[in-house]
């Protein structure tokens, strides 16, 4: 199992923090890079400006605030498209400096002989290492992460998104359907019934209901649309179908063909 020395904020990273305070600009992280560089246990890291042997770059998959002075970033390190295997001996976090461009913000290095081995991709089963890195900042609320469409989604983030989608789908399903028919029409929870007497005209069945709005009150500034209050039985008036936006006095719902 890999063992890394504590990540060190580089001199350029420290200078960038000072710039964000003086110039009142946001601290923007851009990527995480890995390399095969080797470092001695007593080697000074704060003066380093680039990885010794950079092999791969990855987008930041997720970002969160731990406390006012600390942020957490996660990335998926994968061997997809990797042709030459290597030992991950160095991990760098990069940020955007307004004067110098992208700089090495912090660096973490493995103890000698304690780096993780990342094999070349075999074309079928990829190998992934999920990395969490904690970064010191001056003001966590003033930190952003550069959008990166190439960043891999972490399993935990994907599962959280999937749960949100399922929850939204469940909420939508509770809205029910719009039904048109006699008062004895069988309904399910959440259905809305427009009651009509007798047989529904064929022309009405072909009507469009895109101009119908359900709300607890009429929508502001949308007088051309017609609305129905939730949970209300409409017993007076009639349903109308029209090719024009004409509304007879006794109409309670208009379907425009």
């Amino acid at each position: 199992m890999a063992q890394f020395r504590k990540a060190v904020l580089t001199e350029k990273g420290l200078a960038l923090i000072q710039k964000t305070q003086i110039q009142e600009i946001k601290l923007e992280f851009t990527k995480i890079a890995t390399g095969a560089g080797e470092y001695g246990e007593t080697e000074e890291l704060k003066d380093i400006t680039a990885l010794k042997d950079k092999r791969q770059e990855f987008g930041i998959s997720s970002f969160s605030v731990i406390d006012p002075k600390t942020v957490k970033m996660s990335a998926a390190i994968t061997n997809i498209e990797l042709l030459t295997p290597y030992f991950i001996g160095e991990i760098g976090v990069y940020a955007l400096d307004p004067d110098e461009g992208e700089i090495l913000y912090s660096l973490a290095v493995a103890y000698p002989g304690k780096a993780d081995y990342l094999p070349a991709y075999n074309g079928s089963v990829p190998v992934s290492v999920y990395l969490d890195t904690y970064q010191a900042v001056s003001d966590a609320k003033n930190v952003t992460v550069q959008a990166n469409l190439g960043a891999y989604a972490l399993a935990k983030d994907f599962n959280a998104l999937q749960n949100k989608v399922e929850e939204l789908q469940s909420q939508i399903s509770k809205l029910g359907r719009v039904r048109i028919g006699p008062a004895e029409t069988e309904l399910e929870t959440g259905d809305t019934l427009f009651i009509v007497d007798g047989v529904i005209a064929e022309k009405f069945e072909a009507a469009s209901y895109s101009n119908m709005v359900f709300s607890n009150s009429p929508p502001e500034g949308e007088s051309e649309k017609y609305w129905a209050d939730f949970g209300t039985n409409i017993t007076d008036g009639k349903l109308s179908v029209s090719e024009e936006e004409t509304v007879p006095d006794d109409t309670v719902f208009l379907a425009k063909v």
Side-chain angles (χ1 to χ4, degrees):
M1 183 176 179
Q3 294 182 18
F4 277 74
R5 292 163 57 181
K6 184 178 180 181
V8 172
L9 183 66
T10 67
E11 289 291 346
K12 286 187 177 291
L14 180 60
L16 177 56
I17 288 180
Q18 295 172 341
K19 288 181 182 180
T20 61
Q21 295 173 313
I22 296 173
Q23 301 179 22
E24 297 183 352
I25 57 176
K26 286 188 175 295
L27 172 56
E28 182 179 4
F29 289 105
T30 58
K31 68 186 180 186
I32 291 175
T34 58
E38 297 181 357
Y39 298 77
E41 291 191 39
T42 60
E43 190 170 351
E44 188 63 65
L45 301 180
K46 64 183 179 65
D47 296 325
I48 293 178
T49 59
L51 299 189
K52 286 185 177 182
D53 185 7
K54 186 170 71 173
R55 298 295 183 89
Q56 293 178 287
E57 296 181 355
F58 302 96
I60 297 168
S61 299
S62 65
F63 165 83
S64 60
V65 173
I66 301 301
D67 59 48
K69 300 292 184 180
T70 310
V71 296
K72 174 185 175 182
M73 292 181 289
S74 301
I77 298 173
T78 176
N79 71 341
I80 293 178
E81 299 183 356
L82 181 65
L83 301 178
T84 304
Y86 69 102
F87 286 91
I88 303 175
E90 52 187 345
I91 299 175
V93 174
Y94 288 77
L96 193 61
D97 185 288
D99 302 312
E100 300 188 31
E102 195 173 58
I103 56 103
L104 180 63
Y105 181 87
S106 71
L107 177 65
V109 303
Y111 286 104
K114 300 295 183 180
D116 259 337
Y117 178 72
L118 191 63
Y121 184 46
N122 63 9
S124 57
V125 181
V127 174
S128 298
V129 178
Y130 298 104
L131 170 71
D132 288 335
T133 176
Y134 296 81
Q135 300 296 317
V137 297
S138 61
D139 181 6
K141 292 187 295 184
N142 197 42
V143 175
T144 62
V145 171
Q146 189 175 87
N148 191 317
L149 298 179
Y152 292 93
L154 303 184
K156 61 181 180 180
D157 297 326
F158 179 79
N159 290 336
L161 176 61
Q162 187 176 35
N163 291 336
K164 289 183 179 180
V165 171
E166 291 176 352
E167 180 182 352
L168 178 60
Q169 290 175 333
S170 176
Q171 293 175 350
I172 292 175
S173 66
K174 292 178 182 178
L175 295 178
R177 302 165 297 172
V178 175
R179 306 295 301 275
I180 300 174
E184 59 271 16
T185 300
E186 293 185 7
L187 302 176
E188 298 179 1
T189 302
D191 284 355
T192 299
L193 175 65
F194 285 94
I195 302 173
V196 295
D197 294 326
V199 178
I200 301 176
E202 181 178 350
K203 185 176 181 181
F204 189 84
E205 292 178 334
S208 167
Y209 313 118
S210 61
N211 62 341
M212 179 172 58
V213 176
F214 289 90
S215 174
N216 291 324
S217 60
E220 293 184 7
E222 298 193 32
S223 58
E224 76 278 3
K225 294 186 178 181
Y226 303 92
W227 66 284
D229 191 358
F230 286 112
T232 301
N233 290 324
I234 300 176
T235 55
D236 298 324
K238 68 180 182 180
L239 303 177
S240 297
V241 177
S242 174
E243 295 180 356
E244 306 294 335
E245 292 189 0
T246 55
V247 186
D249 293 338
D250 56 351
T251 294
V252 292
F253 169 67
L254 173 69
K256 184 179 179 183
V257 177

